[in-house]
Amino acid sequence: MKSIDVLKGVAMIGIVIAHIALLQNQGGGGSGGSDEAYSVFKGLVGIPYSLLCMFFVVSGYFYKPGNGYWHNVKDRVLKLFLFFVASVVLFTSLMYAVLWAQGYDLSSYSLIDVIVEVIIGKGYFVDFDDPSIGGENILAPFEVTHPLYFLQIIMVGYLIFYAIADYVMESDKRTVITIAVLLTTTALYMEFIHIQLPFSAQLGPLVASYLLMGTMLRRKRFYENLEFGHTDRRYWKIFLISLAIAVILCALFPSDLALIYSKFGDYGGWSVYPFFISMLFSGIVMSYIISWVVRGCHRLSALLAEIGVMCLFVHVSHMFIAKAVCSPFVTLDTEVWIPISLPAGIVVSFVAIAIAMVASELLFGRWSRRARRDD
């Protein structure tokens, strides 16, 4: 479905801009006042951030039951884990080589130690408030893997989801009850234990909840109806209800937009409930808007869909590309990811996406086209 590829493309653009132009300099020494930019970003009612959570929903949407737990783990989780490790090793090593070639003194950093800590997860077994777990903790000038925590938490989410999905997904009631249990588990852990786990595993139940919601939307044929059901009165009723819920919850319970910190709002672990619901309905609203783009802007939607198809490679490579492009012009350190202004960061974001897409086409284009034909 083209609207899902477009959704992933729009989400990936937002993620890249957030990492390179906004969030990665928040609180740091960038030259463009990124603190103010971050405040603007955070004030956008969480709508763009919801697309990150919709990645989980879409993954659950396409889940096919009946293959068995261990088959799913080997076919999806193991492959994703190997891809994750390979990405960390490759892009960290390449960035190390780029900086070494430019004369950086890297003698005080261990390439192997950085790679191992990134793979396990930064700041494991420390309190959530410890600065070592966040995006501001840059292990070395050559670290480029800040975005990859997303792959860690979706792998943990898969391990939970595959264990329960076949037993609950055929019933809305069982699905909702299971989601409530998973969210309560998350809330209790965040409230009373408050310890960062390796692989950010404490976020696994939340991710599994979104995956289960994806199976529920699949039973309702949500995305099929989204593309072809706009003449139906029910189509607009769902949109207006979703918009109202999203706006009300985002206004009453604003999110910290800090999934990497395991922080969901002003009410500690209990904020996971409004966070889950507001991000879900915000994502549904964004899905509607994106479906309108697909119908009305064919060239733009075709480009966004291509980004969506290549989103995994764009995700794992964009920080490396951005730092490699900027490294001849700025001094990279462990204070901020890339010390550039907001406008420059936005430009670099789109340059990184373009380079990643060209590289993806050169490396995987033939395989990707064949896979899409087979589908």
Side-chain angles (χ1 to χ4, degrees):
M1 282 170 283
K2 189 174 181 180
S3 62
I4 290 181
D5 286 335
V6 174
L7 182 147
K8 292 191 292 185
V10 172
M12 189 49 54
I13 291 173
I15 289 169
V16 172
I17 291 175
H19 288 158
I20 295 173
L22 298 176
L23 302 185
Q24 60 91 10
N25 270 340
Q26 194 268 328
S31 58
S34 293
D35 281 339
E36 181 180 352
Y38 180 74
S39 298
V40 173
F41 175 77
K42 188 176 177 180
L44 293 178
V45 204
I47 297 289
Y49 195 83
S50 69
L51 292 177
L52 175 65
C53 300
M54 292 306 288
F55 269 109
F56 307 134
V57 173
V58 167
S59 184
Y61 194 89
F62 289 108
Y63 171 69
K64 296 179 181 179
N67 291 323
Y69 182 77
W70 291 112
H71 176 274
N72 287 324
V73 169
K74 288 187 290 186
D75 187 59
R76 193 67 178 269
V77 181
L78 181 58
K79 289 180 179 178
L80 189 56
F81 176 74
L82 294 175
F83 177 79
F84 164 71
V85 172
S87 298
V88 173
V89 172
L90 173 64
F91 291 115
T92 306
S93 300
L94 284 175
M95 196 67 227
Y96 184 96
V98 168
L99 297 186
W100 177 83
Q102 294 181 26
Y104 275 72
D105 180 9
L106 304 175
S107 58
S108 59
Y109 303 100
S110 168
L111 175 62
I112 299 299
D113 288 349
V114 170
I115 288 173
V116 170
E117 183 163 355
V118 168
I119 290 174
I120 297 173
K122 294 182 186 178
Y124 49 92
F125 299 134
V126 301
D127 190 270
F128 290 145
D129 294 328
D130 192 294
S132 66
I133 70 172
E136 289 86 359
N137 177 28
I138 305 171
L139 300 176
F142 52 84
E143 189 201 342
V144 292
T145 48
H146 167 54
L148 297 192
Y149 82 95
F150 175 86
L151 299 185
Q152 292 176 316
I153 63 176
I154 199 171
M155 282 187 277
V156 178
Y158 280 146
L159 291 175
I160 299 171
F161 171 74
Y162 290 143
I164 58 179
D166 287 10
Y167 301 102
V168 304
M169 62 180 289
E170 296 303 324
S171 165
D172 287 352
K173 182 178 179 179
R174 286 198 299 269
T175 299
V176 171
I177 292 173
T178 304
I179 290 173
V181 171
L182 290 171
L183 294 179
T184 301
T185 301
T186 302
L188 291 172
Y189 185 90
M190 302 298 183
E191 193 68 20
F192 298 109
I193 300 179
H194 218 258
I195 298 296
Q196 174 82 357
L197 294 175
F199 260 57
S200 298
Q202 71 277 356
L203 294 172
L206 173 64
V207 174
S209 299
Y210 282 115
L211 291 166
L212 284 172
M213 185 54 64
T215 67
M216 181 183 290
L217 292 180
R218 178 60 182 264
R219 288 198 304 277
K220 313 299 182 185
R221 298 181 60 82
F222 173 74
Y223 281 103
E224 289 84 353
N225 294 331
L226 203 60
E227 292 192 358
F228 306 109
H230 56 280
T231 58
D232 188 346
R233 181 181 298 178
R234 188 167 177 266
Y235 170 97
W236 294 104
K237 183 179 179 180
I238 293 172
F239 170 73
L240 292 174
I241 292 174
S242 299
L243 179 62
I245 293 173
V247 170
I248 291 171
L249 285 180
C250 286
L252 295 179
F253 304 98
S255 167
D256 279 350
L257 303 183
L259 195 59
I260 190 173
Y261 302 98
S262 297
K263 294 180 180 179
F264 307 109
D266 298 333
Y267 299 96
W270 309 115
S271 295
V272 72
Y273 298 111
F275 175 86
F276 176 82
I277 298 170
S278 63
M279 291 298 103
L280 174 65
F281 283 98
S282 295
I284 289 174
V285 171
M286 288 299 297
S287 296
Y288 269 86
I289 294 171
I290 287 167
S291 72
W292 301 337
V293 173
V294 170
R295 285 198 296 270
C297 306
H298 299 294
R299 291 185 179 180
L300 176 60
S301 63
L303 175 60
L304 293 172
E306 283 300 309
I307 298 174
V309 169
M310 301 177 183
C311 66
L312 183 58
F313 187 79
V314 174
H315 183 75
V316 300
S317 65
H318 69 266
M319 186 63 78
F320 161 73
I321 295 170
K323 292 188 80 168
V325 167
C326 294
S327 60
F329 310 104
V330 299
T331 300
L332 298 177
D333 52 32
T334 58
E335 295 298 319
V336 294
W337 289 93
I338 311 174
I340 54 178
S341 66
L342 175 63
I346 293 174
V347 172
V348 171
S349 298
F350 283 103
V351 170
I353 292 170
I355 294 174
M357 290 180 66
V358 171
S360 179
E361 180 66 22
L362 293 175
L363 293 171
F364 311 113
R366 183 178 301 175
W367 175 84
S368 298
R369 285 191 295 271
R370 184 166 60 247
R372 272 182 274 177
R373 284 199 303 268
D374 292 342
D375 289 342

